[in-house]
Amino acid sequence: MIKDVVVPKTKEVKFIFFSGKGGVGKSTMSCATAVWLAKKGYKTLLVTTDPAPNLSDIFSQTIGHHITPIHGIESLFAIEIDPDEASEEYRERIVGPLRELLDEKNLQVTREQLNSPCVEEVAAFDKFIEFMDDPQYDVVIFDTAPTGHTIRLLELPSGWTETLAGNSATCIGPGASLQSAKAKYEKAISYLQDRNKTSFVFVLKPENLSIVETKRSFEELSKLGIETSLLIVNGILPAEAITDDFFRHKKTEEEKIVERINRELSSLPKIYYPLQDQEVSGIDLLNAVGRLIYDGKEEKRKARPREESAWTLGRTHQRNDLCGSLFVPSNGSRYLFFTGKGGVGKSTIASTTSVCMAQRGFKTLIVTTDPASHQRTRVRKRRNPLRRISIPPAPKKWPPSSAS
């Protein structure tokens, strides 16, 4: 049964990870699961490692970097890990014990080492290990950052044996002072590899790019010895929405994608969750999601009066030609940044713009800093003068020495 993926089977703490491409509904599904479990009487902690968390928005209350009881439901607590605060706490754990051993000059050297950008990632990993070693909860649910960030986080302990064998300096502190942390990290990885302790759930939308990223991440987790427990395919068009040619075409394409999911990810159990007519937030709506996924009980939709919208989509030719005006280099190179919430279409718009500029004769370089880059899928054929580059992920040998 699907509920067996999330319900604790023993008195030991159950860990559940929700991951997936940006914008697929990870937070909704993790919050719904947390509410469902808390209502079943399990003391549940919901942790988000996403640098852009939205638990506070979903539950309509301030949560932040400290464990906070969720209003209106007993046994449910949540925390949004703040990368800056987590980094500062990590630095203090490293520097604190050294104050009685080192003079100010050597302490300053250690502080400088701990100003490395890699400290933020290690601090986040350190923080969620803190919750994996806390026995006061029945279930700990991790609402993770988009997949690429999560995979990088889980890869951090790999290669530590060689790097920390001596007393060499690293970008996250002196090697000798990290030996105890290494043991703690290895213990956490052993928990992640134990299917009785940990469930790993991927959320995806019925879209080709979402399948590509899920398959890639599923394979990366397998290399780490971590098994995937469940797929939640979120946003399936309900039958009552198929009212015109536009939605009939969408449904036909969606059915092809569902066939692909069943074919290419056949070994994994799956739940198909229907697209809702409103954003899911608040205890009642979250509980309805949980009841459908884990109990198979669908709430009856309330009939809504038809609302006339005064907004209309303007004609395409009336829009400004951005590629021919705003984006054109006026004096040397021009730099364009595309940003936004996960899943809103940043990669699509960035790729479209780069192709447009290249076709107009501008030598164009498109760069992604996303650890889960899918530009290769967006730009299938190389179009000169367009070039593509992805910023590589962290090295396998981790952490790198301070001289790196």
Side-chain angles (χ1 to χ4, degrees), residues 270-303:
K270 306 167 192 67
I271 284 288
Y272 293 92
Y273 187 79
L275 182 67
Q276 300 299 301
D277 59 1
Q278 60 182 319
E279 288 192 51
V280 177
S281 62
I283 299 297
D284 292 340
L285 290 177
L286 290 168
N287 189 44
V289 175
R291 281 167 57 82
L292 176 56
I293 291 176
Y294 301 111
D295 293 326
K297 297 178 180 178
E298 186 171 5
E299 306 288 331
K300 289 186 178 181
R301 298 183 184 224
K302 296 180 181 179

Side-chain angles (χ1 to χ4, degrees), residues 118-135:
C118 65
V119 166
E120 186 173 300
E121 288 184 330
V122 175
F125 191 86
D126 198 60
K127 194 68 179 177
F128 90 62
I129 286 176
E130 178 183 320
F131 298 117
M132 292 190 77
D133 223 13
D134 189 341

Side-chain angles (χ1 to χ4, degrees), residues 332-343:
S333 299
R334 189 167 192 88
Y335 304 96
L336 309 177
F337 289 80
F338 292 86
T339 187
K341 185 180 180 298

Side-chain angles (χ1 to χ4, degrees), residues 45-56:
L45 174 64
L46 177 60
V47 181
T48 181
T49 60
D50 194 333
N54 56 3
L55 299 190
S56 295

Side-chain angles (χ1 to χ4, degrees), residues 90 116 118-119 122 155-164 168-175 178 182 185 394-402 404:
Y90 176 82
S116 165
C118 65
V119 166
V122 175
E155 285 178 338
L156 289 182
S158 64
W160 273 38
T161 301
E162 178 184 347
T163 304
L164 300 184
S168 58
T170 74
C171 69
I172 56 175
L178 298 173
K182 173 180 174 289
Y185 290 4
K396 292 295 183 181
K397 182 179 177 182
W398 191 267
S401 67
S402 58
S404 299

